[in-house]
């Protein structure tokens, strides 16, 4: 295990020790002064903060709907085949979402059961070969050894982010001389109650939140370098399982999400059926290389220090420049149409939601 990974786990454990320390302090205060009302109020407050910032397992987004193997055998067969090709554990459950333009492999709940979350708008926008790339990239996430997918590191990042938002983002409303009360201090009016308490809260938040912000920044930088390497490796694994063009075209679809989604939205507003929308999407698959190149260059500038994954443009460029062997685990047109038939009810619902 490398030094960066060891430091990542140590810092994550230190951040996660904060809720544990708060809970321990709450118990000590209540036990030592069990007959004091103020001690109970203080202890319950500390316990509430500890529970609020506790480690959390991965949860599905609102609106995710699971499908069974009986309901979608062709989809599960394709997912199982490609998962085995990349060396990942096949997902126990597949979830569909009406609004997501993404596909990701998750470890859900305290038991970290493997699951696949597929956005139906993305599924509509992909050709059969790109669907194979989508499944390959998503399943390969499970074999990339990304520390950000682990329970400890992921929870530490979430906890540090919640502390930063709570302590450093305190808003101070402008003082209203006609409505807000004042007190005389050294012969000058000073705002009291709301404005003053907000100023004091912001000062205390900055004092308490700055160390946590530095911890979050350090942890993010440590995780980011490892997550980027893990993502590049996962892309290479996916390309070996399916094919480099399939993965590259899928990544370009994610990058060109707006232009790929526009034909679907237009067809949905015209009241076309799922089969008609799919034919419209497949007819509009002409690749504008200049637009793709321009979007790749633009995406490189849209980065912040909180981003863990590398830019989509770099992922596609590295795959094109590599010498990855072409895989053979794909999704042909017949299997893709079978998937559309199985999910017709869900796809129709997603299309209706687009027109609302």
């Amino acid at each position: 295990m490398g030094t960066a990974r060891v430091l990542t786990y140590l810092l994550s454990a230190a951040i996660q020790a904060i809720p544990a320390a708060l809970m321990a302090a709450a118990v000590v205060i209540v036990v030592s002064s069990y007959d004091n009302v103020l001690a109970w109020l203080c202890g319950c407050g500390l316990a509430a903060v500890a529970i609020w910032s506790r480690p959390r397992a991965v949860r599905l987004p609102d609106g995710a709907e699971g499908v069974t193997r009986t309901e979608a055998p062709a989809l599960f067969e394709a997912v199982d085949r490609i998962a085995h090709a990349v060396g990942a554990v096949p997902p126990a459950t597949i979830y569909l979402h009406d609004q997501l333009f993404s596909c990701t492999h998750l470890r859900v709940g305290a038991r970290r059961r493997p699951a696949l979350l597929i956005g139906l708008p993305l599924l509509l926008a992909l050709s059969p070969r790109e669907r194979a790339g989508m499944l390959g990239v998503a399943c390969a996430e499970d074999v990339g050894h990304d520390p950000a997918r682990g329970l400890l590191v992921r929870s530490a990042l979430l906890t540090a982010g919640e502390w930063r938002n709570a302590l450093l983002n305190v808003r101070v409303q402008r003082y209203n001389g006609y409505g807000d009360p004042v007190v005389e201090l050294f012969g000058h009016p000073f705002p009291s109650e709301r404005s003053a308490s907000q100023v004091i809260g912001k000062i205390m938040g900055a004092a308490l939140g700055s160390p946590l912000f530095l911890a979050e920044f350090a942890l993010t930088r440590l995780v980011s370098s490892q997550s980027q390497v893990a993502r590049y490796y996962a892309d290479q694994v996916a390309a070996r399982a399916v094919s480099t063009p399939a993965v590259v075209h899928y990544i370009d679809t994610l990058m060109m999400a707006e232009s790929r989604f526009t034909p679907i939205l237009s067809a949905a507003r015209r009241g076309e059926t799922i089969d008609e929308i799919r034919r419209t999407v497949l007819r509009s698959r002409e690749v504008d290389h200049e637009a793709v190149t321009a979007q790749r260059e633009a995406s490189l500038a849209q980065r912040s220090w909180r981003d863990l994954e590398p830019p989509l443009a770099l992922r596609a460029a590295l795959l094109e420049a590599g010498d990855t062997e072409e895989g053979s685990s794909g999704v042909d047109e017949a299997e893709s149409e079978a998937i559309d038939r199985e999910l017709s009810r869900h796809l129709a619902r997603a299309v209706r939601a687009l027109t609302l």
Side-chain angles (χ1 to χ4, degrees):
M1 184 179 293
T3 303
R5 183 150 299 203
V6 172
L7 292 175
T8 298
Y9 287 123
L10 289 176
L11 186 54
S12 299
I15 293 174
Q16 292 293 18
I18 296 176
L22 292 175
M23 183 60 73
V27 172
V28 170
I29 290 174
V30 171
V31 171
S32 61
S33 304
Y34 62 90
D35 56 347
N36 190 321
V37 175
L38 292 178
W40 276 94
L41 291 176
C42 181
C44 291
L46 290 176
V49 174
I51 294 173
W52 166 73
S53 58
R54 71 190 185 281
R56 293 178 176 87
V58 175
R59 295 192 302 174
L60 294 167
D62 295 337
E65 181 181 4
V67 292
T68 63
R69 290 184 177 271
T70 304
E71 183 182 1
L75 176 60
F76 271 91
E77 182 180 351
V79 171
D80 290 346
R81 182 177 65 252
I82 293 178
H84 285 300
V86 301
V89 178
T93 311
I94 296 177
Y95 295 92
L96 307 175
H97 200 284
D98 293 350
Q99 299 178 351
L100 295 180
F101 201 83
S102 62
C103 177
T104 184
H105 188 283
L106 303 173
R107 290 282 183 166
V108 181
R111 298 175 60 184
R112 294 180 54 78
R113 297 187 63 191
L116 194 66
L117 178 63
I118 302 176
L120 291 174
L122 174 62
L123 191 67
L124 273 173
L126 298 177
S127 66
R129 181 170 66 171
E130 291 164 348
R131 287 180 172 182
M134 175 192 75
L135 297 178
V137 170
C139 292
E141 294 175 358
D142 199 41
V143 298
H145 307 294
D146 185 358
R149 288 176 55 85
L151 180 60
L152 177 64
V153 177
R154 179 183 175 278
S155 295
L157 288 170
L158 292 176
T159 299
E162 289 175 349
W163 279 106
R164 171 177 46 80
N165 288 327
L167 295 174
L168 298 182
N169 291 345
V170 178
R171 297 183 60 185
V172 179
Q173 298 177 359
R174 180 175 295 180
Y175 170 68
N176 182 359
Y178 296 97
D180 293 342
V182 297
V183 295
E184 291 291 332
L185 186 63
F186 302 113
H188 299 282
F190 185 78
S192 64
E193 294 185 0
R194 177 171 60 86
S195 298
S197 62
Q198 289 175 354
V199 171
I200 294 173
K202 191 170 184 65
I203 294 173
M204 293 182 63
L208 296 174
S210 296
L212 288 168
F213 169 76
L214 295 176
E216 181 193 13
F217 180 80
L219 180 60
T220 302
R221 300 315 302 163
L222 282 171
V223 175
S224 177
S225 60
Q226 299 171 69
S227 294
Q228 291 188 31
V229 172
R231 172 56 71 178
Y232 292 140
Y233 173 74
D235 287 342
Q236 296 289 334
V237 171
R240 286 194 294 268
V242 286
S243 70
T244 298
V247 176
V248 171
H249 290 171
Y250 167 65
I251 293 174
D252 284 339
T253 299
L254 294 178
M255 191 167 47
M256 305 287 292
E258 184 176 352
S259 62
R260 298 292 187 262
F261 185 66
T262 300
I264 298 175
L265 186 59
S266 300
R269 289 174 175 172
R270 291 194 299 268
E272 295 184 2
T273 65
I274 297 300
D275 291 338
E276 292 171 338
I277 291 175
R278 286 291 297 160
R279 286 194 292 268
T280 300
V281 169
L282 295 178
R283 284 197 304 267
S284 63
R285 300 305 297 175
E286 295 295 332
V287 179
D288 187 347
H289 294 287
E290 293 183 359
V292 172
T293 301
Q295 185 61 34
R296 286 184 180 183
E297 293 176 355
S299 69
L300 294 176
Q302 301 171 357
R303 296 279 296 169
S304 71
W305 66 268
R306 295 189 184 95
D307 293 328
L308 298 180
E309 294 191 351
L312 293 170
L314 284 181
R315 293 171 58 186
L318 285 177
L319 283 172
E320 290 176 336
D323 55 354
T324 303
E325 298 178 2
E326 298 299 319
S328 58
S329 298
V331 175
D332 58 27
E333 190 168 343
E335 189 174 32
S336 181
E337 292 176 354
I339 292 173
D340 290 334
R341 288 193 297 271
E342 294 172 350
L343 304 182
S344 59
R345 176 174 62 87
H346 304 279
L347 293 171
R349 184 191 62 241
V351 168
R352 286 196 301 270
L354 296 176
T355 59
L356 296 180

